[in-house]
């Protein structure tokens, strides 16, 4: 793709000096970034759980920092916040098990199974429900793929695989190879099950296709679950959403006279048909406490001078898991230092940079989203109830879990190939002496797992990326080990804590990229475009007459 003349000029003006900073690019402070992340992930913030007393501490801290940076309140009615009304669901007194071949197999919450619900009600009572294996649980007419065929699963419990068929057989290229589509996400599988009338869903957890371990499942779904308020929740939610360990599934299938691995292979074909597990049923009962809560997006704005009704977005989620079961060290606070105190601190530093420079022609809006960990609910609410019209939102940059390990050779773009923001970012990255890495791990479905997605699917060009590639400074092996260890042992664990030993120089380089590209857009008449073939292009095209 060729860059337009104005984009090329922007890139030329953004070329970095040997020190890595251009005359137009402000200095970002590693000390401030570290301190903001330290404060937000301190034990006193109790893991930044939404709709808890800790939430007000987050709001107070962020609004004070945005104000000090020169921002104005960007929420409705001159407030710093946008109210996000959610239903909260807490399942308790959980009893569950399989019955097969006359034997009972008890399932313990958090060990063999994790059960949750997002359907309003007081009690769930599922007794002797037939079990049906439906492969990946996908119905995609445009791909000539239907795992359900003509089998009626109403009132039954379906067993599904995580991800989609191309993860195991990328050569089929039915779902774009190993780059996960939305069909591979757990959110889609629960939604499709509700459309089919199932009583419940059991996702078989496997670490590689899920891209996270069992501990992440238990920490993410054992506590209260949240959902936006829906007019007809029964049509969109099933009574039981659950996961089981792979070994439990293998044993269950064996007892029912079936070969789990053979059925996994069969599920990779369009010809696959659902398989009922002979003589096997599921029973589960649990109480459900359903309450309505209000949580908050924090919104700050720097008004544009000549086109204030056109908006450039910077987004990151402020929430984390809160307080949960103790880990091996007895720690119960899920501090979320990397995920996502680092991204939240990055937004504050970007706000300081814009607030200390010349006023932009277009408005800059920073949104610290709530409820990302509950299923992107804060961003979903904003995208459904935008404070600033989506048609005249120029585009946006989402930051999540930024680099704390040092300078790297590349910048990874999750969902690379969707919009021309790729080229805009790539030109600035190259001027830093780095290169672009197109979606370092597309099989993980990262493009559907952070707060840019609800905006992107409504047509707003959004990008999501950050540090990737090899480390540039010694000790390289130690840095690589730390980065790998985080994904293995700290992600969504109580051990995700701030460290005074973080090396934030790589985060600074990423912020320089985001500032440079965003500033150029905010001082231009450019409108980023979705590329041909992007599924998000049609939604943007529908509002083309509102942009000039």
């Amino acid at each position: 793709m060729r860059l337009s003349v104005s984009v090329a000029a922007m890139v030329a003006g953004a070329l970095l000096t040997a020190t890595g900073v251009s005359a137009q690019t402000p200095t970002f402070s590693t000390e401030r970034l570290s301190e903001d992340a330290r404060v937000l992930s301190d034990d006193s913030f109790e893991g930044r759980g939404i709709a808890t007393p800790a939430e007000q501490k987050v709001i107070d801290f962020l609004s004070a920092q945005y104000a000090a940076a020169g921002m104005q309140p960007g929420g409705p009615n001159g407030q710093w916040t946008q109210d996000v009304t959610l239903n909260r669901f807490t399942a308790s007194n959980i009893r569950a098990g399989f019955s097969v071949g006359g034997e009972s197999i008890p399932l313990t919450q958090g060990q063999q199974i994790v059960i949750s619900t997002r359907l309003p009600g007081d009690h769930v009572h599922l007794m002797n429900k037939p079990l049906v294996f439906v492969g990946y649980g996908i119905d995609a007419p445009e791909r000539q793929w239907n795992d359900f065929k003509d089998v009626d699963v109403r009132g039954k419990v379906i067993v599904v695989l995580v991800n989609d068929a191309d993860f195991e057989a990328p050569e089929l290229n039915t779902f774009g190879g190993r780059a996960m589509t939305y069909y591979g996400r757990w959110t889609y599988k629960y939604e499709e099950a509700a459309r089919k009338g199932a009583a419940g869903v059991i996702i078989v957890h496997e670490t590689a296709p899920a891209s996270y371990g069992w501990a992440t499942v238990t920490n993410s779904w054992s506590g209260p679950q949240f959902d936006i308020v829906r007019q007809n929740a029964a049509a969109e939610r099933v009574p039981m959403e659950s996961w089981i360990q792979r070994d439990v599934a293998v044993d269950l299938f064996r007892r029912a006279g079936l070969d789990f691995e053979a059925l996994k292979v069969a599920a990779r074909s369009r010809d696959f048909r659902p398989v009922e597990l002979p003589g096997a049923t599921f029973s589960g009962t649990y109480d459900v406490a359903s309450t309505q809560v209000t949580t908050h997006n924090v919104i700050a704005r720097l008004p544009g001078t000549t086109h204030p009704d056109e908006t450039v977005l910077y987004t990151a989620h402020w929430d984390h898991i809160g307080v949960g079961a103790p880990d091996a060290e007895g720690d119960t606070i899920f501090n979320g230092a990397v995920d996502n105190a680092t991204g939240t601190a990055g937004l504050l530093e970007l706000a300081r940079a814009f607030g200390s420079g010349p006023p932009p022609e277009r408005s800059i809006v920073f949104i610290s989203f709530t409820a990302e960990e509950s299923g992107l609910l804060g961003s979903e609410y904003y995208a459904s109830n935008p404070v600033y019209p989506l048609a005249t939102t120029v585009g946006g940059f989402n930051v999540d879990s930024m680099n704390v390990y040092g300078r790297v050779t590349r910048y990874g773009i999750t969902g690379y190939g969707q919009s021309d923001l790729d080229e805009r970012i790539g030109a600035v990255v190259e001027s830093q002496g780095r290169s672009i890495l197109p979606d370092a791990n597309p099989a993980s479905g990262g493009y559907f797992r952070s707060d840019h997605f609800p905006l992107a699917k409504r047509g707003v060009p959004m990008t999501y990326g950050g540090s990737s590639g090899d480390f540039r400074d010694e000790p390289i092996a130690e840095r690589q080990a730390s980065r790998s260890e985080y994904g293995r042992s700290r992600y969504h664990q109580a051990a995700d804590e701030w460290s005074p030993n973080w090396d934030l120089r790589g985060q600074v380089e990423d912020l320089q990229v985001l500032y440079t590209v965003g500033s150029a857009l905010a001082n231009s008449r450019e409108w980023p475009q979705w590329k041909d073939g992007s599924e998000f292009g049609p939604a943007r095209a529908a509002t083309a007459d509102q942009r000039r």
Side-chain angles (χ1 to χ4, degrees), residues 54-199:
E55 176 167 341
Q56 190 59 50
K57 295 188 70 169
V58 175
I59 293 170
D60 292 344
F61 178 78
L62 293 182
S63 56
Q65 296 300 315
Y66 280 130
M71 301 298 106
Q72 297 180 4
N77 304 314
Q79 302 178 117
W80 286 107
T81 57
Q82 177 189 36
D83 291 354
V84 178
T85 303
L86 303 175
N87 282 325
R88 175 169 56 192
F89 309 96
T90 304
S92 61
N93 300 320
I94 297 171
R95 294 177 175 83
F98 296 124
S99 176
V100 57
E103 293 186 57
S104 296
I105 307 172
L107 301 170
T108 301
Q109 173 79 345
Q111 296 181 18
Q112 295 84 20
I113 195 168
V114 172
I115 290 173
S116 60
T117 188
R118 290 178 293 164
L119 182 65
D122 300 320
H123 188 75
V124 174
H125 188 78
L126 304 175
M127 296 304 296
N128 300 316
K129 295 295 183 181
L131 290 160
V132 184
F133 175 64
V134 294
Y136 290 92
I138 296 171
D139 186 357
E142 78 284 359
R143 299 173 188 263
Q144 296 82 51
W145 189 284
N146 183 0
D147 283 327
F148 295 88
K149 301 298 190 291
D150 55 357
V151 175
D152 186 357
V153 297
R154 285 177 294 181
K156 301 176 182 178
V157 172
I158 63 172
V159 181
V160 302
L161 301 171
V162 72
N163 213 307
D164 57 46
D166 283 10
F167 180 85
E168 303 287 357
E171 67 277 4
L172 296 176
N173 202 33
T174 308
F175 294 92
R178 295 200 90 188
M180 185 195 287
T181 64
Y182 187 59
Y183 293 116
R185 288 285 288 141
W186 59 268
T187 49
Y188 166 81
K189 296 174 192 294
Y190 291 151
E191 291 162 4
E192 190 59 42
R195 287 189 282 268
K196 303 296 186 188

Side-chain angles (χ1 to χ4, degrees), residues 475-498:
I476 289 174
E478 181 179 316
R479 295 175 192 275
Q480 178 60 51
S482 296
R483 184 168 65 182
S484 299
E485 192 265 346
Y486 174 81
R488 184 175 61 252
S489 305
R490 296 180 184 271
Y491 172 66
H492 278 209
Q493 312 294 314
D496 183 2
E497 302 214 38
W498 173 84

